[in-house]
């Protein structure tokens, strides 16, 4: 199935470090979403972005909707052990009549105390 | 307020059998989407239902079907199960048909033997 390019594939960091991950698409999106998924559970919505250039924060998390509408990034500042999990980006195509989301390949984050 | 709920949480079936998965959206949400997530990948879009009608379908065979009820809950049915249908099945709810922001349930883990 179709998936977005998400990088890095995995990150192993020390507690307190900042983290950055990004997502790119070959097509234009009108919505970018970032989710965190713990093993065996459903994705939890972290941040939703609706306009090109939009920069939105949620606590230690900051995400931006790229001005080309084809990319987005997520930053996590001062990481803590509970940040461990898989982070997915997801986009909704511009002009679509459905809510279909296309997901990225995921970034596995491990945080060492 | 309750989030998206799904049942059952886990299910074991054998090849050729049929399965029905259930989802209740967040109160007030009228759109339900179904996704399949195989191990190591991001979720893949199967269906979207809004106001009891199918509004979108992903690249899945006709063995997959769904419906939405007047209370906006939904069922996903899979006939003639194959080993490759083993996955986490996720339900996501949103307010409207094209409201990209989707909230996921905990999923149903299906194992086909």
């Amino acid at each position: 199935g179709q998936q977005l390019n998400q990088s890095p594939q995995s990150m192993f960091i020390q507690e307190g470090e900042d983290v950055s991950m990004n997502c790119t698409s070959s097509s234009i999106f009108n919505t970018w979403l970032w989710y965190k998924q713990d093993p065996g559970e459903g994705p939890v919505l972290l941040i939703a972005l609706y306009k090109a250039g939009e920069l939105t924060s949620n606590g230690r998390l900051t995400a931006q909707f790229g001005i080309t509408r084809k990319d987005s990034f997520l930053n996590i500042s001062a990481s803590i052990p509970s940040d461990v999990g898989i982070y997915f980006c997801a986009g909704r195509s511009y002009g679509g009549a459905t809510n279909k989301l296309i997901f990225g390949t995921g970034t596995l984050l491990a945080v060492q105390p | 307020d309750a989030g998206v709920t799904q049942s059952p949480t886990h299910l074991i079936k054998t090849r050729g059998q049929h399965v029905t998965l259930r989802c209740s959206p967040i109160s007030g949400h009228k759109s339900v989407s179904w996704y399949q997530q195989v191990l190591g990948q991001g979720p893949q879009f199967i269906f979207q239902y809004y106001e009891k009608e199918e509004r979108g379908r992903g690249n899945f065979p006709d063995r997959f079907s769904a419906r939405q009820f007047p209370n906006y809950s939904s069922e996903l049915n899979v006939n003639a199960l194959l080993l490759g249908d083993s996955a986490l099945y996720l339900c996501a709810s949103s307010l409207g048909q094209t409201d990209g922001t989707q909230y996921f349930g905990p999923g149903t883990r299906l194992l086909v033997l």
Side-chain angles (χ1 to χ4, degrees):
Chain A
Q2 185 181 5
Q3 292 190 91
L4 306 177
N5 295 316
Q6 189 171 342
S7 63
Q9 186 174 7
S10 59
M11 302 181 73
F12 299 90
I13 62 172
Q14 298 283 331
E15 182 176 1
E17 290 185 18
D18 296 344
V19 169
S20 199
M21 60 191 78
N22 66 69
C23 204
T24 59
S25 168
S26 58
S27 53
I28 292 172
F29 286 153
N30 69 354
T31 303
W32 279 100
L33 305 168
W34 285 92
Y35 291 90
K36 178 176 181 278
Q37 186 173 29
D38 293 329
E41 300 185 12
V44 175
L45 182 63
L46 300 173
I47 292 180
L49 303 158
Y50 304 102
K51 291 195 296 187
E54 180 180 357
L55 186 71
T56 298
S57 293
N58 178 10
R60 295 179 295 106
L61 278 61
T62 301
Q64 184 160 27
F65 192 140
I67 58 173
T68 66
R69 298 181 178 268
K70 292 184 177 182
D71 61 349
S72 177
F73 73 77
L74 175 71
N75 284 346
I76 305 173
S77 62
S79 59
I80 58 178
S82 62
D83 291 334
V84 166
I86 301 177
Y87 291 78
F88 287 101
C89 62
R92 178 179 172 271
S93 293
Y94 187 75
T98 77
N99 252 353
K100 174 184 176 180
L101 293 179
I102 300 171
F103 280 78
T105 48
T107 295
L108 173 63
L109 177 63
V111 179
Q112 184 170 356
Chain B
D1 286 341
V4 179
T5 59
Q6 292 187 244
S7 64
T9 56
H10 296 84
L11 208 50
I12 299 176
K13 293 285 188 178
T14 57
R15 281 178 297 175
Q17 284 190 312
H18 162 272
V19 68
T20 297
L21 310 180
R22 295 177 176 83
C23 170
S24 291
I26 293 171
S27 177
H29 284 195
K30 297 182 178 182
S31 175
V32 169
S33 296
W34 288 94
Y35 292 80
Q36 180 196 65
Q37 186 178 25
V38 300
L39 204 59
Q41 296 185 19
Q44 295 287 325
F45 174 79
I46 309 175
F47 285 112
Q48 181 198 0
Y49 274 77
Y50 174 74
E51 292 286 11
K52 296 170 285 182
E53 291 190 11
E54 183 181 305
R55 304 292 181 164
R57 184 185 183 112
N59 188 25
F60 281 81
D62 291 344
R63 299 184 295 108
F64 288 77
S65 64
R67 56 179 176 168
Q68 187 177 33
F69 299 100
N71 66 353
Y72 303 109
S73 67
S74 177
E75 282 183 355
L76 175 69
N77 296 283
V78 187
N79 292 323
L81 285 167
L82 304 174
L83 296 180
D85 294 331
S86 296
L88 180 67
Y89 287 86
L90 296 163
C91 172
S93 82
S94 57
L95 275 170
Q97 179 178 346
T98 56
D99 175 7
T101 307
Q102 296 180 42
Y103 299 88
F104 283 83
T108 294
R109 173 71 65 185
L110 173 65
L111 178 61
V112 182
L113 301 176

